[in-house]
Amino acid sequence: MTKTKKIISLVFKMKGLLAHAMVFIFPLFAMAQLSPGTPRSPSDFGDFISMILGFISYLIPLLIAIGLLVFLWGMAKFILHAEEDEKREEGRQLMMWGAIGLFVMVSFWGLTKILLGTFGFEFRFPRLRTS
């Protein structure tokens, strides 16, 4: 086994690392914008829509990163198992679904930005109290 294949197989063995990291990352997203005990509630419909779009703006880059990882995983599987037809087909399928997912997510992100600009919703981050 070549050195490159050993490194790539080691990377594939760490696939659970991302799932374990999310356990620590998601609470940081949830608590990053609010001080304890002060929940933010929208004052009108525009504020409510801005709050939803703000949540989506955090979620979309994460989903794009996951889609890119799926695509790269499929590409690596396609290249590493070029002699096995079944594994190569699995890699091709992963690459195809990763590319479709990336297209859909980037399109959704673009539509969200167009809606923000068209209807004049202001994208604001909630601020922490200083006193």
Side-chain angles (χ1 to χ4, degrees):
M1 185 179 248
T2 66
K3 186 175 181 179
T4 306
K5 284 189 177 182
K6 285 181 183 178
I7 291 172
I8 292 174
S9 68
L10 177 66
V11 169
F12 287 150
K13 288 178 184 176
M14 296 188 314
K15 62 184 171 184
L17 180 64
L18 180 65
H20 293 296
M22 289 300 136
V23 171
F24 297 106
I25 292 173
F26 280 132
L28 293 176
F29 280 125
M31 298 304 293
Q33 298 297 321
L34 298 175
S35 62
T38 57
R40 181 175 181 260
S41 60
S43 59
D44 58 0
F45 185 69
D47 226 9
F48 176 69
I49 296 296
S50 294
M51 195 166 66
I52 290 174
L53 292 176
F55 173 74
I56 290 172
S57 72
Y58 284 123
L59 189 64
I60 297 292
L62 178 67
L63 292 175
I64 289 173
I66 291 170
L68 183 63
L69 286 175
V70 168
F71 179 79
L72 293 176
W73 181 275
M75 187 184 333
K77 200 172 202 179
F78 185 81
I79 292 171
L80 287 176
H81 301 286
E83 62 278 349
E84 301 173 39
D85 288 336
E86 184 178 314
K87 295 277 188 171
R88 192 175 63 209
E89 180 64 27
E90 287 177 20
R92 190 180 73 75
Q93 287 290 327
L94 279 173
M95 286 188 335
M96 182 184 71
W97 285 112
I100 290 171
L102 283 172
F103 175 76
V104 168
M105 287 182 281
V106 169
S107 299
F108 187 71
W109 196 2
L111 287 173
T112 303
K113 295 292 182 181
I114 289 171
L115 286 174
L116 273 173
T118 301
F119 295 113
F121 290 117
E122 183 180 336
F123 178 70
R124 291 177 283 165
F125 289 108
R127 302 288 179 197
L128 294 175
R129 292 187 194 167
T130 56
S131 58

